[in-house]
């Protein structure tokens, strides 16, 4: 059962499932909505609980992806769990599938940074910039995301943007840090 087009059935968000349930008398859709919310709560608990909590949640997240292969949020949850348990390659695969299904699916700060680093290492600077911006959206001023964003902008020839981002680095992390970063990417 492949996904239809680039968007597929892209999200297990409550609004999407609720709209679907309202249009259909199928009582199973309400259960899917409840499961989506339950998984979201379980992921929030795992964030607080650390790697062992994510390890315990992995079978449930894997089953959710198996049952909902076109659900971008299901893939994003799985990617977060894989990253939290140190399986970066599998996290990147799941994140790639999540963003293929829905380019704006929220990945969270750590996973966005992982995607940004991987994209930069692969020379995919546009993807690196998008992922760094996503990381900054959840943690404004994060120095790792700012440095990746400056590099990506500079490599793409977006000089004015890179200078603007360097100004943010200088303002929030000091001129020495910004100067060192500018020297490394020059």
């Amino acid at each position: 059962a492949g996904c239809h087009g680039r968007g597929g059935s892209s999200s297990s968000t409550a609004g999407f499932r609720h709209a679907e349930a309202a249009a259909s008398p199928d009582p199973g859709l309400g259960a899917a909505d409840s499961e989506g919310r339950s998984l979201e709560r379980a992921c929030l608990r795992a964030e607080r609980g650390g790697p062992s909590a994510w390890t315990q949640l992995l079978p449930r997240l894997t089953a959710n992806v198996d049952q909902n292969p076109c659900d971008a949020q299901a893939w994003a949850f799985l990617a977060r769990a894989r990253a939290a348990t140190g399986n970066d390659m599998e996290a990147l695969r799941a994140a790639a599938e999540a963003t293929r299904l829905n380019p704006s699916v929220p990945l969270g700060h750590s996973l966005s940074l992982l995607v940004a680093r991987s994209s930069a290492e692969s020379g995919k600077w546009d993807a690196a910039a998008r992922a760094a911006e996503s990381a900054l959206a959840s943690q404004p001023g994060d120095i790792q995301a700012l440095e990746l964003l400056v590099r990506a902008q500079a490599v793409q020839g977006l000089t004015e943007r890179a200078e603007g981002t360097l100004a943010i680095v200088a303002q929030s992390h000091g001129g020495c840090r910004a100067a060192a970063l500018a020297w490394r990417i020059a």
Side-chain angles (χ1 to χ4, degrees), residues 121-134:
E121 289 168 5
S122 305
K124 298 175 182 169
W125 295 105
D126 187 46
R130 278 193 313 274
E133 288 170 342
S134 177

Side-chain angles (χ1 to χ4, degrees), residues 34-167:
S34 177
E35 176 64 8
R37 286 191 306 266
S38 174
L39 281 173
E40 188 170 357
R41 286 190 303 272
C43 288
L44 290 171
R45 284 191 302 276
E47 295 258 336
R48 291 187 300 270
S52 64
W54 282 111
T55 298
Q56 290 177 346
L57 189 55
L58 266 171
R60 190 170 161 201
L61 295 173
T62 302
N64 187 43
V65 164
D66 290 344
Q67 292 170 358
N68 303 293
C70 297
D71 188 329
Q73 190 60 61
W75 283 100
F77 287 156
L78 181 61
R80 288 169 57 194
R82 295 284 187 210
T85 57
N87 192 340
D88 290 352
M89 292 305 292
E90 289 298 317
L92 287 167
R93 281 184 359 137
E97 183 61 15
T99 56
R100 183 189 71 77
L101 291 167
N102 178 356
S104 62
V105 67
L107 297 176
H109 178 262
S110 298
L111 189 54
S112 291
L113 269 180
L114 179 65
V115 170
R117 276 191 226 104
S118 176
S119 297
E121 289 168 5
S122 305
K124 298 175 182 169
W125 295 105
D126 187 46
R130 278 193 313 274
E133 288 170 342
S134 177
L136 286 166
S138 60
Q139 284 192 19
D142 178 77
I143 190 64
Q144 292 178 43
L146 284 167
E147 288 181 356
L148 282 164
L149 182 57
V150 168
R151 285 181 44 217
Q153 291 167 333
V155 169
Q156 293 179 87
L158 303 171
T159 308
E160 287 183 21
R161 284 188 182 177
E163 289 171 354
T165 305
L166 274 172

